[in-house]
Amino acid sequence: MPVKTEVLQKEESVVQAVDIDRPYWDQSTYRGRALHFLTVTNPLNIFASTKELERAREVVKKYRESDDADLGKFGITENELWRCKYLYDSAFHPDTGEKMLLIGRMSAQVPMNMLITGCMMTFYKSTPAVIFWQWINQSFNAVVNYTNRSGSKPIASDTLARSYIGATGGAVITALTLNRLAQHGPPLAGRLVPLAAVAAANCVNIPLMRITELQNGIELQNAEGTKVGQSKRAAKQAIVSVTLSRILMASPSMVLAPIIMNYLDRKKLLRNMKWAAGPIQVLICGVCLTFATPLCCALFAQRVPIPVHQLEPEVRSKIQSSQPELDTVYYNKGL
């Protein structure tokens, strides 16, 4: 089993304690991470009722606090425990334990992005439409970045406002500039402008929305999950990996859809059904994102190990003075 278990002796019986603080699948392999994120990003999780979410949280909380590993005493099976755990993970922040905003959850990524991306690529010629859909996209990205930030410290309102304005403004300017340049190129170039704008904007949006991590450092934990310090170097690594995975996540749909639509235009297959361009692109985006979202989230481990000797000198000294035997720490990179 990929799940780490601990054998507990209870009189003459042996009971296995399920370690729900670790994912069900082995996170040291890409396959394990992919299966994990296929579950976490499952769009069906957004339809879970408040009652179901609260029950999942209660089950997870009680099991974590209990010294008894016998699931029968909780009235659930191991499979039910894991369903509750993954439902809990899909709706509650891993560091703060707070319920996340619905549209900011990873389970909302596919339905929200397929609609926004499809519209960005359908209405890419009109300047007002470019401004509107880039603003919508970056506003959504800002919500996702804030919701899935690493660490338990809140972002100040003024910092949040500056980050949002800077990221959204940068995305709109990038899109309009590239759109103007693409007017002198082939038709496919214009259709690929949204991808270039999204890639450039992610390089602005994610660092700005997580600027407090760059300024103050990301939380470091030991293997048991206890905080041992904060590192700016680890924060940079986390933000780079998240930015890369977000760009790759958007690429399949934003490359495949323009190619298909350009082919349909050349063959004039939609000449009498121009209204179908939007739905077709939304559908293509939906299919691509269903797989690209979990597979790109899985490119990098969620809980990242980093050797203590690779940390900043002052952080390393602090950790070694308090826990000299500790040689590896971990951080949550965010999503």
Side-chain angles (χ1 to χ4, degrees):
M1 285 290 290
V3 184
K4 180 183 176 183
T5 58
E6 178 184 357
V7 179
L8 301 180
Q9 297 290 341
K10 297 185 73 177
E11 297 177 354
E12 296 181 356
S13 63
V14 177
V15 180
Q16 287 187 322
V18 181
D19 188 354
I20 59 173
D21 289 323
R22 296 178 182 270
Y24 181 84
W25 291 277
D26 182 3
Q27 297 299 283
S28 66
T29 67
Y30 178 75
R31 178 180 179 276
R33 294 195 297 271
L35 290 171
H36 169 72
F37 282 110
L38 276 168
T39 306
V40 171
T41 62
N42 183 356
L44 296 178
N45 287 339
I46 64 175
F47 297 108
S49 65
T50 301
K51 183 178 179 181
E52 290 174 311
L53 293 177
E54 289 303 322
R55 178 182 179 275
R57 176 159 67 173
E58 190 67 16
V59 168
V60 170
K61 180 181 177 183
K62 285 184 177 179
Y63 190 79
R64 278 175 170 163
E65 293 175 348
S66 175
D67 294 327
D68 195 337
D70 188 357
L71 288 171
K73 294 186 178 181
F74 289 86
I76 58 173
T77 65
E78 183 174 336
N79 285 338
E80 289 172 333
L81 175 62
W82 281 112
R83 277 196 293 271
C84 287
K85 176 60 166 57
Y86 271 98
L87 186 57
Y88 171 83
D89 285 345
S90 74
F92 297 91
H93 193 278
D95 292 329
T96 66
E98 297 175 354
K99 184 184 289 187
M100 296 184 285
L101 187 66
L102 181 63
I103 64 171
R105 300 174 193 172
M106 292 309 292
S107 53
Q109 283 287 290
V110 172
M112 290 296 297
N113 270 325
M114 66 182 283
L115 176 62
I116 295 172
T117 304
C119 290
M120 275 197 301
M121 292 189 297
T122 300
F123 308 108
Y124 68 94
K125 293 182 179 180
S126 163
T127 298
V130 169
I131 294 174
F132 177 75
W133 285 109
Q134 284 295 333
W135 169 68
I136 289 291
N137 184 51
Q138 291 310 313
S139 296
F140 171 66
N141 284 341
V143 172
V144 173
N145 294 336
Y146 176 76
T147 303
N148 293 282
R149 68 197 183 280
S150 175
S152 56
K153 290 187 177 181
I155 299 177
S157 298
D158 58 339
T159 300
L160 186 61
R162 286 197 301 269
S163 300
Y164 169 72
I165 293 170
T168 306
V172 171
I173 292 171
T174 300
L176 291 177
T177 302
L178 291 175
N179 224 24
R180 181 171 296 179
L181 293 174
Q183 289 176 356
H184 305 290
L188 183 59
R191 290 185 180 277
L192 290 173
V193 164
L195 172 60
V198 166
N202 271 323
C203 294
V204 176
N205 195 323
I206 295 173
L208 283 176
M209 294 304 295
R210 295 177 60 173
I211 196 168
T212 54
E213 295 175 35
L214 293 172
Q215 293 173 337
N216 305 320
I218 199 170
E219 182 175 303
L220 302 174
Q221 300 176 346
N222 60 20
E224 290 71 38
T226 303
K227 181 180 177 180
V228 295
Q230 292 190 179
S231 169
K232 296 179 183 179
R233 185 173 295 174
K236 292 177 182 178
Q237 291 181 8
I239 290 171
V240 168
S241 61
V242 169
T243 301
L244 180 59
S245 64
R246 289 284 187 85
I247 293 172
L248 293 175
M249 193 185 299
S251 297
S253 58
M254 300 188 83
V255 170
L256 185 61
I259 291 174
I260 292 175
M261 296 310 297
N262 198 54
Y263 173 80
L264 294 177
D265 279 352
R266 285 204 326 268
K267 297 296 183 180
K268 300 182 179 180
L269 297 177
L270 298 179
R271 182 173 48 190
N272 298 323
M273 295 187 301
K274 292 185 177 181
W275 58 268
I280 289 174
Q281 292 190 91
V282 170
L283 180 61
I284 293 171
C285 291
V287 173
C288 291
L289 287 166
T290 297
F291 299 99
T293 300
L295 295 180
C296 288
C297 283
L299 289 173
F300 305 98
Q302 179 66 24
R303 192 166 188 254
V304 185
I306 181 170
V308 172
H309 71 264
Q310 291 185 6
L311 299 171
E312 304 93 308
E314 64 275 12
V315 178
R316 181 170 63 245
S317 298
K318 182 179 178 181
I319 293 175
Q320 290 176 338
S321 63
S322 59
Q323 300 186 47
E325 75 288 351
L326 194 62
D327 56 7
T328 302
V329 292
Y330 302 83
Y331 64 87
N332 171 26
K333 73 173 177 61
L335 288 173

